[in-house]
Amino acid sequence: MHYNIIAPFNRDEARKLKAGDTVSLSGIIYTARDAAHKRLIELINQNKELPFDIKNQTIYYVGPCPAKDGEVIGSAGPTSSYRMDAYAPTLIKLGQTGMIGKGIRNEAVINAMKEFGAVYFGAIGGAGALMAECVKKHEVIAFPELGAESIRKLEVEAFPLTVIIDSYGNNLYEIGKNEYRKCI
Amino acid sequence: MRDINVSTIIESVKNMCMNANYYLNEDIKQAMKDGLKNEQSPIGAQVLDKLLINADLAAQKKVAICQDTGMAVVFVTIGQEVHIVGGGLSDAINEGVRRGYNEGYLRKSVVRDPIDRVNTGDNTPAIIHYEIVPGDSLKIELAPKGFGSENMSALKMLKPSDGIEGVKNFILETVDKAGPNPCPPIVVGVGIGGTMEKASILAKRALMRPINVRNKIEYVRDLENEMLQKINELGIGPAGLGGTNTALAVNVETYPTHIAGLPVAINISCHVTRHAETIL
């Protein structure tokens, strides 16, 4: 199935999506990667306010290149998601419904997705120039001192994604690999 | 003696940083085009198609193919008759990296310390390997290395009795475990022999060889071909979504080793396997 989804979206919408579905995502998403996630969790542990309300939000794991003059953003493809596994369950518990990245997730993340209703989208790793074309607005909203790792609010249009792991725990990486596997 | 001024080196490194990040090498592009023709998975074929469009777009707009513009790995082969003038050679290479990443709008991904993790802001220092040879020329090869794939690399000190079968198993296990993480289709660099660190450098060196050139040693060439076929039978596919193009090539380099050892290093590189070289 193909869906057009507007972000932010709630858990009921997340529950509709199945592994293997393709999605054009438009609307508002936030960027955060390793160092930014660490800071978010520190704020949560100290009962402090987050730089944005996490409920129903989608986080894109990306550290973009600097924008050339006249461009909104530099190349902006996904980074490996497993490095955010230590932090993602806490954010999902607080209402995060979408994650965009690439690569394997651990069981703790998948369990949180199943329990609270969240979806893991894959963007194509390495296709940073192509994905930057979908970013219409770009604003650093927190931790500017982290450089490429700062948190940004992005407005995206028809961001092309694939549902890798759905809120029921189905995993396209496993399904796809098994279909073409001939050895071991 | 032949004098080479550091200003020439700075300029060369700067240009290589930008060009390696903007333009996908022809050998890689051709392998992806060939892969597109024989990819059995429709989703896999779509991914390859998008990766080629992405590479064309990056070249046309002179922007980075991938946002992870890497840590700059530099191999310097310097003739012993060369005299560097105007400053230090390592300083010049780092200055070239600094200018290339700033002027080229490339991402600065290097932190000054692995634990305190404060960004150096200019992508320095580079990782520099020097080799001194006879002659009066200076060759600089640059491979900006992204860490999605670097993190999936592995080293194992096998026993001599593990032999070639042990090497094959280790390669397949490493690539299978990496799965979608290193952004397939990947290039697999393998270093066999030497010591622990030599094997790792050989694996990185192997990634500098164009992927349409096979090793001259017959058994190594056979190993490269067999491993490429086996890896593509793992099913991982483009972007890890399933398919028959998981690797574009397996490049293997070997070196003499100790009677007691069989070090094997595997350095995985993503489909944006970057290499540039200049001979001064």
Side-chain angles (χ1 to χ4, degrees):
Chain A
M1 288 282 281
H2 180 81
Y3 293 94
N4 294 311
I5 303 261
I6 307 288
F9 61 89
N10 63 28
R11 61 186 286 176
D12 294 335
E13 281 213 81
R15 291 280 187 208
K16 285 197 310 205
L17 300 167
K18 299 282 158 57
D21 287 343
T22 53
V23 169
S24 288
L25 190 77
S26 300
I28 302 297
I29 61 175
Y30 293 90
T31 75
R33 42 172 293 154
D34 310 57
H37 270 80
K38 188 163 179 255
R39 297 255 187 119
L40 291 176
I41 299 300
E42 281 164 6
L43 290 174
I44 292 165
N45 290 340
Q46 294 161 7
N47 285 319
K48 289 186 180 156
E49 205 173 322
L50 295 183
F52 63 97
D53 181 5
I54 188 75
K55 195 170 165 54
N56 295 337
Q57 299 299 343
T58 295
I59 296 182
Y60 182 20
Y61 304 145
V62 59
C65 283
K68 284 192 164 179
D69 291 344
E71 302 281 343
V72 177
I73 197 167
S75 288
T79 197
S80 302
S81 306
Y82 71 91
R83 296 196 316 270
M84 270 49 78
D85 283 358
Y87 314 113
T90 305
L91 298 175
I92 292 169
K93 202 173 168 183
L94 291 173
Q96 179 186 355
T97 50
M99 297 170 282
I100 305 172
K102 54 123 178 157
I104 298 164
R105 308 310 302 266
N106 73 12
E107 211 174 312
V109 176
I110 298 172
N111 286 339
M113 291 167 63
K114 283 154 78 171
E115 185 176 351
F116 299 102
V119 60
Y120 173 46
F121 299 109
I124 299 178
L130 197 57
M131 276 175 268
E133 300 278 293
C134 302
V135 179
K136 302 303 168 191
K137 279 185 191 162
H138 166 214
E139 181 193 355
V140 174
I141 61 154
F143 316 139
E145 66 280 11
L146 295 181
E149 294 201 76
S150 58
I151 293 187
R152 297 139 201 271
K153 183 180 180 181
L154 303 184
E155 190 181 319
V156 294
E157 202 174 284
F159 205 50
L161 304 171
T162 305
V163 177
I164 302 284
I165 305 174
D166 62 30
S167 62
Y168 307 95
N170 301 304
N171 188 339
L172 182 63
Y173 286 141
E174 296 300 325
I175 300 164
K177 181 172 75 173
N178 291 338
E179 195 173 336
Y180 294 93
R181 198 171 180 87
K182 284 199 216 158
C183 71
I184 304 187
Chain B
M1 276 311 226
R2 181 174 155 234
D3 286 354
I4 297 180
N5 195 289
V6 289
S7 59
T8 314
I9 295 161
I10 293 169
E11 194 64 16
S12 294
V13 172
K14 181 187 96 171
N15 290 333
M16 282 197 286
C17 288
M18 294 196 274
N19 292 338
N21 274 294
Y22 298 160
Y23 307 113
L24 192 62
N25 283 330
E26 208 44 53
D27 56 331
I28 305 278
K29 217 192 234 182
Q30 190 55 49
M32 287 214 278
K33 283 180 189 163
D34 295 343
L36 184 59
K37 283 182 213 149
N38 64 30
E39 176 55 55
Q40 288 169 30
S41 154
I43 299 178
Q46 276 173 33
V47 171
L48 288 172
D49 189 44
K50 282 196 176 140
L51 291 178
L52 285 163
I53 294 171
N54 180 69
D56 287 345
L57 184 66
Q60 180 203 325
K61 296 182 81 168
K62 291 189 170 55
V63 297
I65 303 163
C66 172
Q67 76 291 337
D68 186 352
T69 50
M71 191 165 191
V73 178
V74 186
F75 285 91
V76 181
T77 312
I78 182 165
Q80 63 194 23
E81 306 300 327
V82 171
H83 179 214
I84 305 291
V85 294
L89 178 52
S90 298
D91 291 343
I93 290 167
N94 280 317
E95 183 58 27
V97 168
R98 190 173 288 124
R99 292 187 195 176
Y101 277 73
N102 276 322
E103 294 175 29
Y105 294 86
L106 304 175
R107 196 179 81 185
K108 287 78 180 171
S109 308
V110 175
V111 294
R112 67 179 184 187
D113 179 283
I115 302 301
D116 86 10
R117 308 199 72 81
V118 175
N119 200 300
T120 62
D122 60 10
N123 223 53
T124 67
I127 305 291
I128 310 173
H129 302 289
Y130 288 107
E131 190 183 350
I132 299 168
V133 296
D136 66 355
S137 73
L138 173 65
K139 180 157 98 169
I140 305 172
E141 294 168 274
L142 173 86
K145 188 67 173 70
F147 263 53
S149 56
E150 188 76 357
N151 282 337
M152 296 296 111
S153 301
L155 171 84
K156 198 167 181 181
M157 304 304 281
L158 296 177
K159 298 187 293 296
S161 63
D162 292 325
I164 190 93
E165 288 308 314
V167 173
K168 289 178 190 174
N169 289 338
F170 180 47
I171 296 171
L172 285 178
E173 272 167 30
T174 303
V175 171
D176 197 33
K177 200 170 136 199
N181 290 2
C183 294
I186 55 176
V187 178
V188 184
V190 181
I192 309 174
T195 49
M196 184 197 81
E197 83 283 6
K198 182 68 181 179
S200 298
I201 294 170
L202 285 173
K204 183 76 81 198
R205 255 263 167 239
L207 292 173
M208 308 292 290
R209 192 200 324 150
I211 60 170
N212 50 13
V213 177
R214 303 269 53 83
N215 195 297
K216 289 189 184 77
I217 304 168
E218 194 181 351
Y219 91 86
V220 180
R221 188 189 63 213
D222 291 346
L223 178 67
E224 291 176 340
N225 291 333
E226 183 187 341
M227 285 297 96
L228 178 61
Q229 188 197 329
K230 287 262 169 63
I231 288 168
N232 286 331
E233 288 175 357
L234 291 172
I236 296 164
L241 301 179
T244 50
N245 278 274
T246 300
L248 300 172
V250 179
N251 284 4
V252 182
E253 296 294 338
T254 59
Y255 196 80
T257 189
H258 188 281
I259 49 173
L262 176 50
V264 182
I266 298 167
N267 196 197
I268 298 183
S269 191
C270 61
H271 61 83
V272 194
T273 296
R274 290 163 279 215
H275 44 93
E277 70 170 67
T278 308
I279 298 171
L280 297 173

